[in-house]
Amino acid sequence: MITVGIDLAAEAVDTAVAWVEWSAGRARVTRVETRADDGLVVEAIMAAGKAGVDCPLGWPDRFVDFLVAHRGGEVALPLEGVGRLWRRDLANRVTDLVVRELTGQRPLSVAADRIGYVAMRCAGVMAELARRGQIIDRRGGGVVVEVYPAASLKRWGLPFKGYKRAANVGELNRLVDGLSRAAPWLDLGAFEGVCRASDDAADAVVAALTARAAALGLVTAPSPGQAEAARTEGWIAIPTTSLDGLMSRFEDGPRPGVHG
């Protein structure tokens, strides 16, 4: 099986893609590309068994409803006024709140942060995949699953913050060292250097590992009450297994995810 991880950014210059090949007792990084354009991202996903994309797959339903109402001049304000809680409800998806509750991490708001630019690019990529016949299930049921490397790393007991940007390359190397110790079965091979030099590349590898967890059904899944929101807003899959659990075999088929 091949899983792909995509650390998506608004532009190709900051986008990385990693390919991981899985076999009995071993996983091997077979390719890492930085400065990845839309064409490469689409082709990588098309050839993957499962692809983890580090980007929101949708916007909060309440935010979308608010924009539609605002365009028509029909915004209905709550009786208690437009305070912080009201704005928070507009800015956060259901999955964002679940991730915060489970991990303490705060995903960037696709409605109120610059990650919205990334989500616009992602929407175009998803549209192209759908045009090519891929089923896009924002809950993670298709080939694409939304991932959040910081949450995955925290779940696996690895450094999960402070390693971004060139000035923090020491922390990035600490992350790669920790990953190598925690997953001795993972062979970074010729791509260890780029993972130590580029946090985009390292995040892409983590996204590919999380995609493996999703393929095995070893991630959080929306509860029945969360499923409808997840269908439109997207759902961040958080691993529910240790790194060693990723080496489980596929012979019995994927297992159902764990409700968040």
Side-chain angles (χ1 to χ4, degrees), residues 6-16 35-38 41 54-56 113-125 200:
I6 299 162
D7 182 49
L8 198 69
E11 303 295 338
V13 65
D14 295 315
T15 298
R35 309 175 75 90
D37 61 18
D38 288 1
V41 170
D54 179 15
C55 177
D113 197 279
R114 285 184 295 177
I115 199 171
Y117 287 105
V118 189
M120 292 175 195
R121 181 185 179 195
C122 187
V125 169
D200 299 330

Coordinates of all heavy atoms in Angstrom, one line a residue, residues 6-16 35-38 41 54-56 113-125 200:
I6 N 0.2 15.3 2.3 CA 0.3 16.6 1.6 C 0.2 17.7 2.6 O -0.8 17.9 3.3 CB -0.8 16.7 0.6 CG1 -0.7 15.6 -0.5 CG2 -0.7 18.1 -0.1 CD1 -1.9 15.4 -1.3
D7 N 1.3 18.4 2.8 CA 1.3 19.6 3.6 C 1.0 20.8 2.6 O 1.9 21.4 2.0 CB 2.7 19.8 4.2 CG 2.8 21.1 5.1 OD1 1.8 21.2 5.9 OD2 3.7 21.9 5.0
L8 N -0.3 21.1 2.5 CA -0.7 22.0 1.5 C -0.6 23.5 2.0 O -0.8 23.8 3.2 CB -2.2 21.8 1.2 CG -2.7 22.4 -0.1 CD1 -2.1 21.7 -1.3 CD2 -4.3 22.3 -0.1
A9 N -0.2 24.3 1.1 CA -0.1 25.8 1.4 C -0.8 26.5 0.3 O -1.3 25.9 -0.7 CB 1.4 26.2 1.5
A10 N -1.0 27.8 0.4 CA -1.7 28.6 -0.6 C -1.0 28.6 -1.9 O -1.6 28.6 -3.0 CB -1.9 30.0 -0.1
E11 N 0.4 28.4 -1.9 CA 1.2 28.4 -3.1 C 2.1 27.2 -3.1 O 2.4 26.6 -2.1 CB 2.0 29.7 -3.2 CG 1.2 31.0 -3.2 CD 0.3 31.2 -4.4 OE1 0.6 30.5 -5.4 OE2 -0.6 31.9 -4.3
A12 N 2.5 26.8 -4.3 CA 3.3 25.6 -4.5 C 4.6 25.7 -3.8 O 5.1 24.7 -3.3 CB 3.6 25.4 -6.0
V13 N 5.2 26.9 -3.7 CA 6.5 27.1 -3.1 C 6.6 26.5 -1.6 O 7.6 26.1 -1.2 CB 6.9 28.6 -3.1 CG1 6.0 29.4 -2.2 CG2 8.4 28.7 -2.8
D14 N 5.4 26.5 -0.9 CA 5.4 26.1 0.5 C 4.7 24.8 0.6 O 4.3 24.4 1.8 CB 4.8 27.1 1.4 CG 5.6 28.4 1.4 OD1 6.8 28.3 1.6 OD2 5.0 29.5 1.3
T15 N 4.5 24.0 -0.5 CA 3.7 22.8 -0.4 C 4.6 21.6 -0.6 O 5.5 21.6 -1.4 CB 2.6 22.8 -1.5 OG1 1.7 23.9 -1.3 CG2 1.9 21.5 -1.5
A16 N 4.4 20.6 0.2 CA 5.3 19.4 0.2 C 4.4 18.1 0.1 O 3.3 18.1 0.6 CB 6.2 19.3 1.4
R35 N 7.8 22.3 -3.1 CA 7.3 23.2 -4.2 C 6.4 22.5 -5.1 O 6.5 22.6 -6.3 CB 8.5 23.8 -4.9 CG 9.6 24.4 -4.0 CD 10.8 24.8 -4.7 NE 10.6 26.0 -5.5 CZ 10.8 27.3 -5.0 NH1 11.2 27.4 -3.7 NH2 10.5 28.3 -5.7
A36 N 5.4 21.8 -4.5 CA 4.5 20.9 -5.3 C 3.3 21.8 -5.8 O 2.6 22.4 -5.1 CB 4.0 19.8 -4.5
D37 N 3.1 21.7 -7.2 CA 2.0 22.4 -7.8 C 0.7 21.5 -7.8 O 0.8 20.4 -7.3 CB 2.3 22.9 -9.2 CG 2.7 21.7 -10.1 OD1 2.3 20.6 -9.8 OD2 3.3 22.0 -11.2
D38 N -0.4 22.1 -8.2 CA -1.7 21.4 -8.2 C -1.6 20.1 -9.0 O -2.2 19.1 -8.5 CB -2.8 22.3 -8.8 CG -3.2 23.4 -7.8 OD1 -2.5 23.6 -6.8 OD2 -4.1 24.2 -8.2
V41 N 0.0 17.4 -6.9 CA -0.8 17.1 -5.8 C -1.9 16.1 -6.3 O -2.2 15.1 -5.6 CB -1.4 18.3 -5.1 CG1 -2.5 17.9 -4.1 CG2 -0.3 19.1 -4.4
D54 N -3.2 18.1 4.9 CA -3.2 19.0 6.0 C -3.8 20.4 5.5 O -3.1 21.3 5.2 CB -1.7 19.2 6.5 CG -1.6 20.2 7.6 OD1 -2.7 20.5 8.2 OD2 -0.5 20.7 7.9
C55 N -5.1 20.4 5.5 CA -5.9 21.6 5.1 C -7.3 21.4 5.4 O -7.8 20.3 5.2 CB -5.7 21.9 3.6 SG -6.6 23.3 3.0
P56 N -8.1 22.4 5.8 CA -9.5 22.2 6.0 C -10.2 21.9 4.7 O -9.9 22.5 3.6 CB -10.0 23.6 6.5 CG -8.8 24.2 7.1 CD -7.6 23.7 6.3
D113 N -8.9 33.1 9.4 CA -7.4 33.1 9.4 C -7.0 32.9 8.0 O -7.8 32.5 7.1 CB -6.9 31.9 10.3 CG -5.4 32.1 10.6 OD1 -4.6 31.8 9.7 OD2 -5.1 32.6 11.7
R114 N -5.7 33.2 7.7 CA -5.2 33.1 6.4 C -5.2 31.7 5.8 O -5.0 31.5 4.6 CB -3.8 33.7 6.3 CG -3.7 35.2 6.4 CD -2.3 35.7 6.3 NE -1.5 35.3 7.4 CZ -0.2 35.6 7.4 NH1 0.4 36.2 6.5 NH2 0.5 35.2 8.5
I115 N -5.5 30.7 6.6 CA -5.6 29.3 6.1 C -6.7 29.2 5.1 O -6.8 28.3 4.3 CB -5.7 28.3 7.2 CG1 -5.3 26.9 6.7 CG2 -7.1 28.3 7.8 CD1 -5.2 25.9 7.8
G116 N -7.6 30.2 5.1 CA -8.7 30.3 4.2 C -8.2 30.3 2.7 O -8.8 29.7 1.9
Y117 N -7.1 30.9 2.5 CA -6.5 30.9 1.2 C -6.1 29.5 0.8 O -6.2 29.0 -0.4 CB -5.2 31.8 1.1 CG -5.5 33.3 1.1 CD1 -5.3 34.0 2.3 CD2 -6.0 33.9 0.0 CE1 -5.6 35.4 2.3 CE2 -6.2 35.3 0.0 CZ -6.0 36.0 1.2 OH -6.3 37.3 1.2
V118 N -5.5 28.7 1.7 CA -5.1 27.3 1.5 C -6.4 26.5 1.2 O -6.4 25.7 0.2 CB -4.4 26.7 2.7 CG1 -3.8 25.4 2.3 CG2 -3.3 27.7 3.2
A119 N -7.5 26.7 1.9 CA -8.7 26.0 1.7 C -9.3 26.2 0.3 O -9.9 25.3 -0.3 CB -9.7 26.3 2.8
M120 N -9.1 27.5 -0.2 CA -9.6 27.8 -1.5 C -8.8 26.9 -2.5 O -9.4 26.4 -3.5 CB -9.4 29.3 -1.8 CG -10.3 30.2 -1.0 SD -9.9 31.9 -1.3 CE -10.7 32.7 0.0
R121 N -7.5 26.8 -2.4 CA -6.7 26.0 -3.3 C -7.1 24.5 -3.2 O -7.3 23.8 -4.2 CB -5.2 26.2 -3.0 CG -4.3 25.3 -3.9 CD -2.9 25.4 -3.5 NE -2.1 24.6 -4.4 CZ -0.8 24.2 -4.1 NH1 -0.2 24.6 -3.0 NH2 -0.2 23.5 -5.0
C122 N -7.3 24.1 -1.9 CA -7.7 22.7 -1.7 C -9.1 22.4 -2.4 O -9.3 21.3 -2.9 CB -7.8 22.5 -0.2 SG -8.1 20.7 0.2
A123 N -10.0 23.4 -2.3 CA -11.3 23.1 -2.9 C -11.2 22.9 -4.4 O -11.9 22.1 -5.0 CB -12.2 24.3 -2.7
G124 N -10.2 23.7 -5.1 CA -10.0 23.4 -6.5 C -9.4 22.1 -6.8 O -9.8 21.4 -7.7
V125 N -8.5 21.6 -5.9 CA -7.9 20.3 -6.0 C -8.9 19.2 -5.9 O -9.0 18.3 -6.7 CB -6.7 20.1 -5.0 CG1 -6.3 18.6 -5.0 CG2 -5.6 21.0 -5.4
D200 N 8.0 21.6 6.0 CA 6.9 21.2 5.1 C 7.0 19.7 4.7 O 6.1 19.0 4.8 CB 6.9 22.0 3.8 CG 6.8 23.5 4.0 OD1 6.1 23.9 5.0 OD2 7.3 24.3 3.2

